Amino acid sequence: MIKLGVNSVLFKEYDFAQAARSIAACGYDGVEISAIQGMCEHLDLSRWSEQKDELQAIMQENGLKFLSMEVASLDEARLRLAFEAAAAIGIPVVNIGPGGKSGVEEDLAASIANLTHLSEIAESYGVTLCVKAHVGNAIYNTPTTLAAMEQISSSSFGIDMDPSHIHRSGENAEEALPAVINRVKHIHIRDCKGREQGPGPIELQACGRGDIDLYGYCEAMVQGSYDGPVVLEVIGAQPAHTLDQVTAVAAESYGYLNACLKKLGAR
């Protein structure tokens, strides 16, 4: 069964206990904990060992599982801390972006070389490192994703296939997914209007509100026998949003995704 979760960055204005309560109330199975420095550090990697018991207790109280962690940094020292924390806390996947600039061959080669190295480190901790195609970065579409897949052989490396970035790179995500599905180990998901660079206000990132064929995307997931986590990742700009606003986005997205996946026999 595909598990549904929420990246806790959606609740960046609130503590992790409140985020978990709201996520559980919406019906989700689990959480991707945010360790994004400068944006949302529900997991503070500099003191993860102090947080471990509290975080695990919060998850148990709310009947949730840790599905992943988002670090979004390519700093090796920080990622070593992330892998250590993930292994100890019980977080199977660590998500990052590729870095570099789109269309620059040297940046793509450097990104792939760095991801190869970081995947080997992740493997030594028994966790999986996932990267997603990201608008503006060296890996940003299906061809560049395939290049990384071809060159990185570690079993601890996976693709985090985010349809919103693929959509904004000019492709149809539901058509792109089958080409990479055999290495997809995590899915970030949200909707968006148009193909502009930014994902838009949080309300239009709710699944079913935008222009991406997310039902078709879910269908491609199921047809490709994907059984990993599907995690809502919604990042809002300032000003801060109320707890009701962010919970509404999470709840609406759960209803949409759960209905799609139930119809497809995946929940």
Side-chain angles (χ1 to χ4, degrees), residues 130-211:
C130 282
V131 69
K132 71 178 175 184
H134 192 290
V135 171
N137 283 194
I139 297 170
Y140 68 98
N141 61 4
T142 300
T144 50
T145 301
L146 289 170
M149 289 168 55
E150 289 165 5
Q151 296 179 54
I152 305 173
S153 60
S154 173
S155 60
S156 288
F157 173 77
I159 299 301
D160 171 26
M161 179 46 156
D162 183 331
S164 72
H165 282 275
I166 294 297
H167 179 80
R168 288 187 287 130
S169 290
E171 299 180 75
N172 293 325
E174 72 279 7
E175 297 170 2
L177 181 58
V180 301
I181 192 71
N182 64 315
R183 295 291 292 278
V184 174
K185 297 186 179 180
H186 190 276
I187 286 176
H188 274 147
I189 200 161
R190 64 183 170 197
D191 217 331
C192 66
K193 286 282 192 182
R195 298 186 189 268
E196 65 275 2
Q197 290 301 298
I202 65 167
E203 294 81 8
L204 296 184
Q205 295 180 53
C207 295
R209 291 268 191 130
D211 296 332

